[in-house]
Amino acid sequence: MARASGTAMEGLLQGGFLHTASGVRYKVFSRDGRAWMSYDRDDAPEISKERSVLDGEKELLYFIGSGHRGRTYLYEVEGEWFEIPINFYGKRQLWDMAPNYGSAKTMPAALPVDSNCLHCHASSVQIALPGARNRYEGAPFLQGGIGCSACHGEAAKHLEEQGRGPIVNPAKLDTARRDSACLQCHLEGNVAIYRARKSLADFRVGDDLADYVVYSVRADAKTGGRRASSQYEALLRSACKAASGDKLTCTTCHDPHRSPSAEERVNYFREKCLTCHTGVKMATAHHPEQRDCAVCHMPTREAADISHEQVTDHDIQRHPHSTTPIARLLDTAEADDLVPVGRVSAGDREMGLAYAQLAASGNQKDAEKALRLLLKAEREGSSDVELHTKLGLIEQMSADNNDARREYAASLKEAPYDATALGNLAILDAVSGHTADAVSLLQRAIDADPSQLTAGLNLAFIECRVGNKKKALQILTGLTRFDPDDPTLRKFLSSGTYAGERCSLL
């Protein structure tokens, strides 16, 4: 954990590869004492008309990831921080695309660096400035790696009194707060919804994580979803957890201060099992030829969320080939319902936002559930940016434009630079003929966050249509600093075509 982040040159893993699907060649290297990532693609129109010459580089400033599972790097453009689209995978010792980008046909869009994600890899993470979730007052974090404070709180008094001063000991906290010390980074679920006006970056050990965020999974989820950083929901369904109750926690088997060596591992974890599974027969006669209990009861499976990675299944099954749907444990849950992980109270707002997040992929049933729950939460007094923006989006998708407009306006009262509300309200203004209002909203969005691709494309098209071609070209050129290979942007620049319509930039 102490090596989970740092300066790029301190943790530079040089190498490169050709990504066949996109034709882009990536390389990570050092030059003049600084770290860089280059990307290039030769002109290959016979492969795809949407692809053309690509050539550029980014200076890498920080690394994220210890390298045990993987590592990636951060770079900065005009005060905004982004993650490169490639990862180094520790188990296979190779460079490849970041998760979900393996089949990308072009170089992926820039990935904004969110403080909620940095929380699990660095210390003294900074809170983003208003306007853009990846703009910070200086560096995005002030200390590389996970320091003592992540699990023990502020240590100044403890150090000042030479180890006798007060410090948080998670083992002495109540169950929820004890487990929260680990789960702040080792719980993921299918969906994570932050409580109103809360951020994971604000969490401090000793708090109850459920006061900040609600994690949910589909009721028919199997064995933790095979996510590399989210084995806790699988553990909750295990017979070991059911029998031990609150006594069993992450640190029952894992020492947060050290990991056993490869030579120690089998005996180390076997002794953990035998702490509860006592008796001479279990210790000596139960498969004496196989001392590694995990081989049969916690098998290693391919991770669903990280390429080239495997995870240990924490379902701890007696017969490991069976599956245990969450729905079997919940009398009222249907297979496609979302269920909060653990004994967590989730209101209509949290569950409505969770369904709305899933509905973004086009699931109409999720959208209907989201609309019903969010409207109920709003009637009962809930009012925050996420609620209003998601309600507006669902209503806009359903062509309820007046209701959507009202929700976006409410969102902007809470957060004047919310990019989604600004962009979608601008679309409603544009289609209803209020061009000047649409331009004002879109300009506001990209002034706050120049990397907003959709807002920039829409603004450029409107400016082009009203004759401001120089301004339109300036906007599009600016967008290439963030997404140089976006096919929609390239097509607009090369032919003036956008959203099925044409406006020449010449």
Side-chain angles (χ1 to χ4, degrees), residues 234-245:
L235 182 66
L236 288 178
R237 298 193 295 279
S238 70
C240 291
K241 182 66 173 174
S244 303

Side-chain angles (χ1 to χ4, degrees), residues 219-398:
D220 64 350
K222 309 290 195 304
T223 61
R226 294 171 29 230
R227 288 181 293 276
S229 59
S230 192
Q231 288 295 309
Y232 180 67
E233 63 258 36
L235 182 66
L236 288 178
R237 298 193 295 279
S238 70
C240 291
K241 182 66 173 174
S244 303
D246 292 339
K247 180 182 176 182
L248 180 64
T249 187
C250 303
T251 53
T252 302
C253 300
H254 298 281
D255 183 344
H257 298 112
R258 67 176 290 267
S259 296
S261 66
E263 294 76 22
E264 298 175 303
R265 191 187 66 81
V266 171
N267 285 332
Y268 177 87
F269 286 111
R270 181 178 178 81
E271 289 303 315
K272 297 295 183 183
C273 295
L274 293 176
T275 301
C276 294
H277 297 278
T278 57
V280 176
K281 182 178 179 181
M282 182 65 70
T284 61
H286 184 70
H287 291 290
E289 80 287 357
Q290 177 54 271
R291 294 184 57 80
D292 190 348
C293 306
V295 167
C296 293
H297 303 289
M298 300 178 69
T300 299
R301 307 183 191 277
E302 290 294 322
D305 56 345
I306 301 180
S307 304
H308 313 296
E309 183 56 81
Q310 295 178 320
V311 296
T312 301
D313 190 342
H314 281 60
D315 222 28
I316 319 180
Q317 298 166 327
R318 185 174 184 179
H319 303 289
H321 295 294
S322 64
T323 56
T324 308
I326 291 180
R328 200 189 76 178
L329 307 179
L330 298 167
D331 294 336
T332 59
E334 295 185 6
D336 62 350
D337 281 348
L338 281 173
V339 181
V341 176
R343 296 190 293 269
V344 174
S345 174
D348 294 325
R349 173 195 175 272
E350 287 73 33
M351 298 312 298
L353 289 174
Y355 281 114
Q357 187 170 317
L358 295 177
S361 62
N363 188 309
Q364 183 59 33
K365 193 172 182 180
D366 285 335
E368 291 168 359
K369 289 179 181 179
L371 182 61
R372 174 174 54 81
L373 289 167
L374 291 176
L375 286 173
K376 185 170 181 283
E378 188 176 50
R379 287 195 301 269
E380 293 176 355
S382 292
S383 177
D384 60 86
V385 175
E386 290 77 15
L387 182 146
H388 293 305
T389 300
K390 284 294 193 296
L391 256 180
L393 183 58
I394 292 170
E395 288 166 340
Q396 186 175 2
M397 290 167 58
S398 302

Side-chain angles (χ1 to χ4, degrees), residues 38 50 62 73 94 115 128 138 155 177 185 196 204-205 213 243 262 291-292 304 340 353 378 398 405 434 439 500:
S38 65
E50 300 297 328
Y62 295 99
Y73 294 86
L94 55 78
S115 59
R177 287 170 170 76
C185 293
R204 297 294 180 269
V205 69
V213 58
R291 294 184 57 80
D292 190 348
L353 289 174
E378 188 176 50
S398 302
R405 184 183 294 277
H434 299 105
V439 167

Side-chain angles (χ1 to χ4, degrees), residues 20-94:
T20 306
S22 64
V24 180
R25 185 178 297 278
Y26 297 93
K27 184 179 179 182
V28 174
F29 62 98
S30 65
R31 185 177 67 217
D32 300 328
R34 294 152 71 184
W36 299 86
M37 179 196 77
S38 65
Y39 53 90
D40 66 86
R41 180 182 56 226
D42 294 333
D43 191 8
E46 70 279 4
I47 298 175
S48 171
K49 293 181 180 179
E50 300 297 328
R51 295 185 349 192
S52 58
V53 171
L54 182 69
D55 186 17
E57 59 184 23
K58 301 291 184 185
E59 183 178 2
L60 310 179
L61 300 176
Y62 295 99
F63 75 85
I64 297 293
S66 68
H68 175 67
R69 280 203 171 116
R71 178 167 293 172
T72 189
Y73 294 86
L74 309 184
Y75 64 94
E76 179 261 337
V77 180
E78 297 182 15
E80 293 188 277
W81 289 85
F82 299 92
E83 177 185 339
I84 62 175
I86 61 175
N87 276 9
F88 180 81
Y89 293 92
K91 296 287 178 65
R92 298 284 295 278
Q93 290 290 296
L94 55 78

Side-chain angles (χ1 to χ4, degrees), residues 460-461 463-464 468-477 505:
F461 188 74
E463 294 285 13
C464 182
N468 296 331
K469 298 182 184 295
K470 184 177 179 181
K471 176 72 179 294
L473 186 58
Q474 181 184 17
I475 294 168
L476 296 175
T477 303
L505 294 165

